[in-house]
Amino acid sequence: MKVVSWSHSALKDYEGCPKRYQEIKVLKNYPFTETEATRYGNQVHEAIELYIRDNTPVPDAYAQFVPVVDELLKKPGRKLAEQQMALTKELKPCDWKAKDVWVRGIADLLIIDDDNMTVWVVDWKTGSDRYPDRDQLKLMSIMVFAHYPHIRKVNSALLFIVKGSMTKHSMTFDQAESHWWDYRERAARIEQAHETGVWNAKPSPLCPWCPATTCVHHPKH
């Protein structure tokens, strides 16, 4: 069977509602529609990426974020912006578009301190900091261990640059394996849905905002 690839956002989408996942990710009945919030987030990410990678001046509209970025860039180590990481099911690094890719993730900022065998992973957030998702930090951490096997500790953070807050997480190399077992079990549910064709809806108060308007649980149905 073809390998079913996933990412942090895809896994969250499936667990939120398998039916919505099928309609959007599998059947592609509802193409992504950019909102003002997502457009702003993408622009901020691009501006910071160019600043870190090419030293391109940040547009005035986002200049307030530069001091925060500069403070992080003072940390020792190699700095990589928007670093793509992809793994096979055997947890071997592979090309982003490889046929056997199993999981993908992008680190907004990766600081690799080879001397101290430590990595910082930072994800820029331009939205609310009310419900920080540490699960994303766990996945990025174990992916770093798979890509950089000499690393023994990963410090990670969701940096809510608009709100001026940060959610941190830390993980050591010997903790990675147990987390991989958890993700294997969760990803296996998506694989099973592909095999069986069973995508049960999970009604919630968020149904009115779901793009899958043909679902029986959507108010517009």
Side-chain angles (χ1 to χ4, degrees), residues 6 11 35-36 63 68 95 109-110 116 156 161 171 179 183:
W6 57 282
L11 187 60
T35 65
E36 189 61 37
V68 178
D95 185 78
L109 172 60
L110 206 60
N116 292 307
S156 55
I161 52 179
M171 186 185 297
H179 287 293
Y183 278 108

Side-chain angles (χ1 to χ4, degrees), residues 63-79:
Q64 69 268 31
F65 305 137
V66 173
V68 178
V69 177
D70 283 345
E71 195 63 31
L72 285 167
L73 296 179
K74 291 179 183 178
K75 294 183 180 296
R78 295 179 280 147
K79 281 78 176 183

Side-chain angles (χ1 to χ4, degrees), residues 30-112:
Y30 302 91
F32 173 75
T33 301
E34 188 178 52
T35 65
E36 189 61 37
T38 57
R39 185 182 303 111
Y40 177 77
N42 290 335
Q43 290 171 346
V44 171
H45 274 74
E46 182 180 13
I48 296 177
E49 175 190 3
L50 295 176
Y51 177 70
I52 295 172
R53 193 187 66 201
D54 305 324
N55 203 29
T56 302
V58 174
D60 291 342
Y62 317 122
Q64 69 268 31
F65 305 137
V66 173
V68 178
V69 177
D70 283 345
E71 195 63 31
L72 285 167
L73 296 179
K74 291 179 183 178
K75 294 183 180 296
R78 295 179 280 147
K79 281 78 176 183
L80 304 174
E82 299 297 321
Q83 182 69 6
Q84 295 182 338
M85 294 185 288
L87 298 169
T88 65
K89 207 165 188 177
E90 292 72 39
L91 305 185
K92 302 296 183 182
C94 64
D95 185 78
W96 186 261
K97 296 183 179 180
K99 291 183 178 180
D100 58 345
V101 63
W102 181 59
V103 59
R104 296 183 179 94
I106 299 177
D108 291 344
L109 172 60
L110 206 60
I111 303 177
I112 307 171

